[in-house]
Amino acid sequence: MAIKTTGINHIALVCRDMKETVHFYTEILNMPLFKTVQLPDGGQHFFFDCGNGNSVAFFWWDDAPPAAPGIASVKEFPFDAKTAVGSMNHLAFDMAEDELEAAIVRLQDANVPLTPAVLNHDDSPQGVAPAMHDGVFVRSVYFTDPNGIMLEFAATTRAFGPEDIAHEPATCNTAEG
């Protein structure tokens, strides 16, 4: 029997300060906190509703290892965005295109640093275009949460088709693999 999923239930991340994280996700991003768990080891695990039955969860431990920008998270987007194998590069939240500008204003009002402009992702060699055109498939803005986790508000602008699968997958060229 084939495995059949219906989407992402949640993604679990680690925060440095649960109170600060709760404030950011509930008050700035308007994602309701719907479940809290006190862990037997003294840690916490909190869940936020990010819409459509999806959630973002955070673990907190007082003795968690420190953040590792450039390894486990993006160091500085878009200039230094590579992260290590097995890391999470960024988390993109889906939203309607007509909601994007209002979301940007909300982030700016909360003094959340973000990319200077909406990025029009396309198939050009640069990967982004200065203006909207028929080849743009996602419009987005990037920002970070208080934990240094890179987030994205992404609005898909067109349907995808077979022509959107145009590249052969790369393979590892090193012995370390």
Side-chain angles (χ1 to χ4, degrees):
M1 176 184 241
I3 295 174
K4 189 175 185 179
T5 64
T6 59
I8 302 288
N9 181 283
H10 70 277
I11 183 166
L13 307 168
V14 178
C15 67
R16 66 183 173 143
D17 183 303
M18 189 61 85
K19 187 173 186 174
E20 179 182 52
T21 299
V22 168
H23 172 77
F24 184 82
Y25 282 83
T26 61
E27 301 300 318
I28 296 173
L29 299 187
N30 289 324
M31 295 181 183
L33 176 65
F34 71 89
K35 177 65 178 166
T36 64
V37 177
Q38 189 68 40
L39 302 172
D41 63 2
Q44 295 184 319
H45 192 31
F46 285 22
F47 294 77
F48 302 87
D49 180 349
C50 62
N52 253 3
N54 302 298
S55 59
V56 177
F58 281 90
F59 282 102
W60 172 86
W61 293 281
D62 189 40
D63 60 349
I71 299 170
S73 62
V74 169
K75 194 169 193 175
E76 182 185 4
F77 183 84
F79 310 107
D80 197 354
K82 289 181 186 174
T83 55
V85 172
S87 68
M88 186 193 77
N89 186 270
H90 70 281
L91 175 58
F93 296 106
D94 187 43
M95 68 172 38
E97 189 177 1
D98 62 357
E99 295 289 328
L100 196 53
E101 291 300 326
I104 290 168
V105 169
R106 182 164 182 86
L107 291 172
Q108 290 169 332
D109 288 349
N111 296 314
V112 175
L114 53 119
T115 49
V118 173
L119 298 177
N120 299 301
H121 300 270
D122 67 2
D123 290 322
S124 68
Q126 298 81 14
V128 293
M132 183 64 183
H133 62 83
D134 289 343
V136 171
F137 54 89
V138 170
R139 300 188 77 222
S140 69
V141 62
Y142 294 87
F143 55 100
T144 57
D145 81 350
N147 307 294
I149 297 168
M150 188 165 74
L151 305 174
E152 176 185 14
F153 285 149
T156 303
T157 59
R158 64 173 176 81
F160 293 101
E163 68 279 2
D164 288 301
I165 302 173
H167 305 90
E168 285 299 316
T171 189
C172 182
N173 292 324
T174 67
E176 297 169 8

